[in-house]
């Protein structure tokens, strides 16, 4: 088997322990020796003056479709990511009954994109993961079974609570997908059809996840005005089902809600005291990114994207949407309220006719079109059939640090890969190293690496990864701690980071002294224990 020897590096092994100088020998896809090594090897990498660390694990990724059409996933590898967790926010690629393919593609497009190159005939998680394995992937891939897909298979896209019979069917589907190796269950309670579910529905399907000792990964109902109530709902789900909780992209949105941080911290402390297992991931930016359709009230999405497009063309429905956005709906996160038209920017569209909107905020788009601001955004969503990406501003760096330095946190990207994306697609992990560790001194580098590697591996039960350890898979990143930094901005986000010279996945060097080698060395990781 091929041997790679990394010489003269400083190892930060992911365990939180202090760094140390050592060589590292890779044979095949495993780390076989760490220490002073004087063996012959097929390749020697001189890591003098650099940090050698485990490959980073992105616990909130949206490469679900991209991995099937452009499987190398270069933006993730460039920032040191060797493993991704797909299936986020309760809406993804599988399960996907054939009768819902057309409508679901439109619903999914704003998050994960769309492609006519795919057959869209995989139907379930097992077949989807087999397809990734057959196509190949740059980073390793795990998959969460999405609540919205489960709900769709059990009861379609109707805006109503599930019946007892439908709940039983959801439990059966969840069990089937867990047996196929899903790493957990995800939901996104601002997304359709997850938003239509009652707490009891989530408790019932989470009981199945708890049987398999796999987490609920949740974009909760509110990250703004009603976040405390939202967190209380999640805690209830945990208590009633026994499931472990992993909050997605944890934050509080909107200046008017920053005073809630102390109450959020108190809730997290209460969970710890009561033995409720809580973790969360976080991207290191003060702006978020999702599909623009979330600014539309949930009732308007009932029945799927085709019905939404129909309502966007109905004057009475548009007036009702406008009223609800201006006045709010109890329990609904109103993005216009906390970010404003001026704080929401379009990142991607489907048609060439609206490409001039990319990079502009909603007020600028209204001026460009010579329309009222509500009409401009409603028309854009209608013309693009809801396939519009966006980012929005919500917080401050000090809030990022407050949550990042807690025990529950790990790092993620949550990056949407289409169009002119949020800069986190290219920069989350190097930004933590450069801005939050080196410049702001928010935590030691050893702690940051732990949050990028061993912490997420433990959370998602990823065996033999997340540490530099003999016998573990050879997922390794080599970087210069003095220069590593993200380069992308919201104006010009598509920029590779600095300082990450080598990225190794399963013993194959995919980023080699900053040059890419398009080898699909990643593996599909199914959780079976």
């Amino acid at each position: 088997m091929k041997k790679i020897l990394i010489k003269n590096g400083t190892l930060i092994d992911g365990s939180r322990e202090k760094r140390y100088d050592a060589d590292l020998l890779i044979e095949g896809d495993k780390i076989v020796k760490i220490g002073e090594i004087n063996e012959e090897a097929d390749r020697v990498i001189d890591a003098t003056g650099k940090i050698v660390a485990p490959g980073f694990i992105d616990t909130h990724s949206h490469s679900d479709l991209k991995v099937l059409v452009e499987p190398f996933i270069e933006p993730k590898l460039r920032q040191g990511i060797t493993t991704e967790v797909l299936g986020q926010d309760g809406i993804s690629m599988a399960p996907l009954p054939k009768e819902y393919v057309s409508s679901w593609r439109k619903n999914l497009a704003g998050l994960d994109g769309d492609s006519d190159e795919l057959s869209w005939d995989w139907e379930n998680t097992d077949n989807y993961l087999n397809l990734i394995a057959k196509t190949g992937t740059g980073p390793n891939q795990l998959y969460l079974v999405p609540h919205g897909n489960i709900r769709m298979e059990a009861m379609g896209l109707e805006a109503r609570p599930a019946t007892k019979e439908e709940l039983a069917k959801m439990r059966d589907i969840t069990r089937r997908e867990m047996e196929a190796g899903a790493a957990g269950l995800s939901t996104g309670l601002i997304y359709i059809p997850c938003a239509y579910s009652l707490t009891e529905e989530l408790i019932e399907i989470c009981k199945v996840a708890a049987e398999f000792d796999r987490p609920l990964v949740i974009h909760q109902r509110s990250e703004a005005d009603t976040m405390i109530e939202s967190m209380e709902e999640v805690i209830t789900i945990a208590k009633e089902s026994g499931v472990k909780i992993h909050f997605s992209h944890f934050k509080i949105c909107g200046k008017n809600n920053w005073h809630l941080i102390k109450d959020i911290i108190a809730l997290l402390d209460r969970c710890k005291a009561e033995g409720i297992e809580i973790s969360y991931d976080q991207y290191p930016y003060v702006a978020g990114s999702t599909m623009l359709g979330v600014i539309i009230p949930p009732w308007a999405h009932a029945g799927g994207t085709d019905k939404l497009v129909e309502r966007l063309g109905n004057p009475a429905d548009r007036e009702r949407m406008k009223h609800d956005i201006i006045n709010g709906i109890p329990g609904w996160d109103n993005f216009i309220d906390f970010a404003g038209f001026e704080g929401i920017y379009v990142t991607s569209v489907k048609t060439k006719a609206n490409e001039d909107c990319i990079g502009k905020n909603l007020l600028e788009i209204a001026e460009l079109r010579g329309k009222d601001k509500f009409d401009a955004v409603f028309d854009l969503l209608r013309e693009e059939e809801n396939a519009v990406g966006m980012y929005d501003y919500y917080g401050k760096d000090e809030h990022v640090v407050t949550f990042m330095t807690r025990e529950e946190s790990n790092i993620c990207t949550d990056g949407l890969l289409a169009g002119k994306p949020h800069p986190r697609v290219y920069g989350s992990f190097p930004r933590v190293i450069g801005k939050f560790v080196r410049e702001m001194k928010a935590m030691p580098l050893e702690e940051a690496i732990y949050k990028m590697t061993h912490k997420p591996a433990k959370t998602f039960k990823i065996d033999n990864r997340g540490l530099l350890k003999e016998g573990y898979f050879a997922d390794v990143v080599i970087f210069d701690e003095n220069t590593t930094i993200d380069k992308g901005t919201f104006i010009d986000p598509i920029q590779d980071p600095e300082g990450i010279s080598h990225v190794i996945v399963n013993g194959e060097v995919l980023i080699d002294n900053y040059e890419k080698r398009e080898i699909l060395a990643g593996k599909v990781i199914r959780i079976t224990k």
Side-chain angles (χ1 to χ4, degrees), residues 21-41:
D21 294 336
D23 304 328
L24 184 147
L25 181 64
I26 297 167
E27 186 171 352
D29 62 359
K30 298 285 180 63
I31 297 169
V32 295
K33 190 174 181 180
I34 297 173
E36 186 176 342
I37 303 171
N38 294 300
E39 293 186 22
E40 292 293 321

Side-chain angles (χ1 to χ4, degrees), residues 314-352:
N314 182 297
D317 285 333
R318 285 168 78 117
E319 284 303 310
R320 183 182 169 192
M321 292 176 205
K322 187 184 299 187
H323 175 274
D324 287 347
I325 292 170
I326 292 170
N327 296 286
I329 300 173
W332 172 54
D333 266 11
N334 187 340
F335 278 70
I336 296 293
D337 180 57
F338 67 69
F341 283 88
E342 70 282 2
I344 297 175
Y345 289 75
V346 168
T347 60
S348 65
V349 295
K350 185 170 68 172
T351 73
K352 288 189 177 298

Side-chain angles (χ1 to χ4, degrees), residues 78-127:
R78 287 281 183 190
Q79 57 175 301
I81 293 165
T82 59
T83 299
E84 301 185 282
V85 183
L86 310 176
Q88 303 288 341
D89 294 318
I91 57 172
S92 186
M93 303 289 279
L96 182 55
K98 289 181 180 177
E99 62 267 34
Y100 296 112
V101 167
S102 177
S103 181
W104 194 249
R105 284 176 64 175
K106 294 172 185 174
N107 189 40
L108 189 63
L111 272 185
D112 292 342
D114 193 12
S115 175
D116 291 328
E117 296 177 35
L118 303 178
S119 61
W120 297 92
D121 62 354
W122 45 82
E123 297 191 90
N124 57 46
T125 293
D126 184 44
N127 291 336

Side-chain angles (χ1 to χ4, degrees), residues 436-491:
F436 289 90
V437 172
R438 187 173 66 245
E439 295 175 5
M440 296 181 68
K441 303 189 187 318
M443 60 183 141
L445 183 57
E446 287 85 348
E447 179 71 8
I449 296 301
Y450 166 75
K451 289 177 178 291
M452 298 175 179
T453 58
H454 190 41
K455 175 73 163 60
K458 289 190 296 181
T459 300
F460 290 93
K461 299 171 67 176
I462 306 170
D463 284 342
N464 301 317
R465 298 183 196 272
L467 290 171
L468 296 181
K469 187 174 180 180
E470 292 176 6
Y472 271 48
F473 286 101
D475 295 344
V476 181
V477 58
I478 303 174
F479 64 93
D480 185 336
E481 67 177 319
N482 298 310
T483 62
T484 294
I485 191 69
D486 63 315
K487 299 298 291 181
T489 66
F490 287 100
I491 303 300

Side-chain angles (χ1 to χ4, degrees), residues 137-323:
T137 173
N140 303 305
Q141 304 292 348
L142 287 84
Y143 187 72
L144 304 167
V145 58
H147 169 211
N149 293 65
I150 294 167
R151 195 177 211 269
M152 176 175 59
E153 181 174 338
M155 59 178 289
L157 297 168
E158 296 183 47
R160 61 172 176 81
T163 65
K164 287 185 177 180
E165 293 75 17
E166 288 163 346
L167 282 176
K169 191 170 183 182
M170 286 187 211
R171 287 193 297 268
D172 290 342
I173 295 165
T174 304
R175 181 168 284 103
R176 181 193 73 204
E177 306 298 71
M178 292 293 166
E179 289 172 348
L185 172 72
S186 82
T187 191
L189 296 178
I190 69 167
Y191 298 115
I192 307 306
C194 307
Y196 303 138
S197 62
L198 302 180
T199 306
E200 181 60 29
E201 178 176 320
L202 288 156
I203 291 169
E204 287 303 307
I205 58 175
C206 282
K207 287 177 180 177
V208 179
E211 286 177 28
F212 289 81
D213 192 30
R214 296 176 202 170
L216 170 66
V217 179
I218 183 166
H219 181 143
Q220 57 185 321
R221 289 192 201 274
S222 176
E223 296 177 325
D225 300 11
T226 57
M227 184 165 172
I228 299 300
E229 296 88 337
S230 176
M231 287 183 69
E232 291 282 11
E233 178 189 30
V234 179
I235 292 167
T236 298
I237 293 166
K239 286 181 174 178
E240 295 295 320
S241 69
V243 78
K244 296 173 182 176
I245 299 296
H246 184 83
F247 286 99
S248 294
H249 40 61
F250 201 67
K251 59 185 177 292
I252 180 70
C253 295
K255 186 180 294 187
N256 294 337
N257 296 311
W258 292 348
H259 68 283
L260 295 175
I261 290 176
K262 64 181 186 301
D263 298 318
I264 293 167
I265 296 296
L267 264 181
L268 291 172
D269 289 341
R270 191 186 94 193
C271 288
K272 186 175 181 179
E274 294 179 4
I276 299 168
E277 290 199 48
I278 300 287
S279 59
Y280 57 77
D281 53 39
Q282 183 186 18
Y283 50 81
Y285 296 85
V286 294
S289 179
T290 185
M291 58 176 76
L292 185 61
V294 299
I295 72 165
I296 303 296
W299 61 263
H301 294 267
T305 302
D306 292 335
K307 289 293 184 182
L308 170 65
V309 172
E310 185 179 311
R311 293 183 185 108
L312 285 166
N314 182 297
D317 285 333
R318 285 168 78 117
E319 284 303 310
R320 183 182 169 192
M321 292 176 205
K322 187 184 299 187
H323 175 274

